[in-house]
Amino acid sequence: MRHVTIMGVPFLHIGQQGFVDLLVNRIKQQEKTFVVTANPEVVMQANENPTVMNYLKQATYICADGIGVVKAAQILGDSLPERVTGYDTMVRLLEVGQQKHYKIYLLGAQKETIEKTVANIHKNYPNVDVVGYHDGYFDWNNNDFAKEIATLQPDLVFVALGVPRQEKWITENLDKFSKGVFIGVGGSFDVIAGTVKRAPVLWQKLNLEWLYRLLRQPSRFGRMLVLPRFALKVFALKFKGQGKTK
C-alpha cells in the first residue's frame, strides 16, 4: 500500500471511509492489526524520542489524525486524501459493529468516564458486545488485561491511554493475541462519554478543530506549542528538498 513519509513516520495514503473498510476486512480475515492515529504532536514525539519512534514502527498502519499532517504532506511534495481521525474511526467501526455484532474491549480514561462510555455504547449500539473494559489507572507491571483480552478474543480493542502510553501498551502486549484490531484513540472516550464536546461540524470543515479544543481547554496551550515547531521543521525539510513519498 502507498505511504507518505513525514519525518520518518509512514502515513497510509487513504481516506476515512477507505480506512474503515480496510479495518473491517482485517477483522473479517481475523488479521491482527495495530493502528496508530498520529497528529503533529505524535510525529514530534517520535522524532525526539527513539522509544516512541520504535512504537510507531511496530504499527500495521499509521493514519493522519490531524490537519497539520495533511498540510505537511502537501508542503513536502505529495498529498494525503484527508484526515483519518481516531474518533471518527472508532465511531464508524462501532456503526459497523452494530450491524456485524462485533465484540469490543475498552481500556483507558478515568473510571467514571469509561463507565459512561460503555453505557452510551450500550445505548447507541446495542448489538455491539462490550466484552470487557478497564480504566487507565492501573499498575503497569502488575495487571492481567492482556490475559483477559486474549481469552475474550474481541474484534476491536480501543486503547485510550494517551500518547505514547497507549502505543507502548499495545506494542508490549500485541504478541499475546491471535487476532483483533488494536487502536489508540486518545481522548475519544471523553467525547463518547459526553464529558468533552467535539468541535461543531463547521469548525471541523474549516480545519479549526484544534482551535476549538484549545478555546474549550486552555490547559492544552502548552501542548499546542509543538505545532509551530512541527511547522518549522516541515519547512526546513522542504527547503532541503527532503520531501519524499514511498
Side-chain angles (χ1 to χ4, degrees):
M1 300 186 73
R2 184 181 171 197
H3 294 81
V4 175
T5 299
I6 301 173
M7 300 183 201
V9 179
F11 288 91
L12 190 62
H13 187 279
I14 198 167
Q16 181 70 72
Q17 188 56 52
F19 188 57
V20 171
D21 293 342
L22 174 63
L23 296 182
V24 168
N25 187 61
R26 298 277 297 190
I27 293 171
K28 180 180 180 181
Q29 300 299 325
Q30 296 192 353
E31 295 178 293
K32 186 166 57 177
T33 307
F34 172 15
V35 176
V36 171
T37 56
N39 58 18
E41 183 180 359
V42 175
V43 175
M44 291 300 289
Q45 283 195 38
N47 273 258
E48 295 169 356
N49 187 333
T51 300
V52 177
M53 181 64 83
N54 181 62
Y55 297 152
L56 269 58
K57 288 182 178 179
Q58 309 308 311
T60 312
Y61 305 119
I62 302 175
C63 60
D65 189 349
I67 190 60
V69 172
V70 175
K71 295 297 184 183
Q74 294 174 345
I75 292 168
L76 293 174
D78 201 359
S79 62
L80 289 163
E82 61 181 335
R83 293 191 310 157
V84 180
T85 73
Y87 174 78
D88 288 321
T89 300
M90 180 176 180
V91 169
R92 295 196 188 188
L93 287 172
L94 288 173
E95 291 171 352
V96 176
Q98 171 69 7
Q99 302 170 2
K100 298 182 178 291
H101 299 265
Y102 283 163
K103 297 194 298 182
I104 71 171
Y105 190 100
L106 299 98
L107 173 62
Q110 297 180 355
K111 186 174 186 295
E112 181 181 0
T113 298
I114 196 168
E115 288 176 350
K116 288 181 178 179
T117 300
V118 171
N120 284 340
I121 289 175
H122 283 317
K123 176 182 177 181
N124 297 318
Y125 311 98
N127 291 333
V128 172
D129 184 6
V130 181
V131 296
Y133 66 91
H134 197 284
D135 62 65
Y137 297 85
F138 56 88
D139 183 345
W140 196 276
N141 298 311
N142 184 27
N143 66 79
D144 294 323
F145 300 135
K147 184 185 297 184
E148 178 185 5
I149 294 169
T151 300
L152 295 169
Q153 293 193 314
D155 301 295
L156 289 156
V157 179
F158 296 109
V159 186
L161 297 174
V163 178
R165 293 181 73 240
Q166 57 197 25
E167 288 74 24
K168 171 180 169 65
W169 188 90
I170 296 173
T171 298
E172 292 180 350
N173 292 284
L174 194 62
D175 63 351
K176 301 173 184 176
F177 313 115
S178 60
K179 68 169 191 173
V181 170
F182 296 76
I183 176 171
V185 293
S188 297
F189 290 3
D190 295 284
V191 180
I192 293 175
T195 56
V196 173
K197 290 186 178 181
R198 195 178 185 194
V201 174
L202 178 60
W203 288 67
Q204 295 178 43
K205 289 182 177 180
L206 292 173
N207 296 319
L208 292 174
E209 190 167 7
W210 62 273
L211 178 59
Y212 179 87
R213 294 177 68 186
L214 178 59
L215 293 173
R216 298 276 300 186
Q217 298 173 284
S219 60
R220 295 176 59 86
F221 179 76
R223 292 176 56 184
M224 290 297 179
L225 292 177
V226 74
L227 296 178
R229 291 198 296 114
F230 174 78
L232 286 172
K233 190 158 186 176
V234 169
F235 281 111
L237 291 173
K238 176 66 173 180
F239 180 75
K240 295 177 182 178
Q242 293 184 20
K244 295 181 180 179
T245 304
K246 66 179 181 179

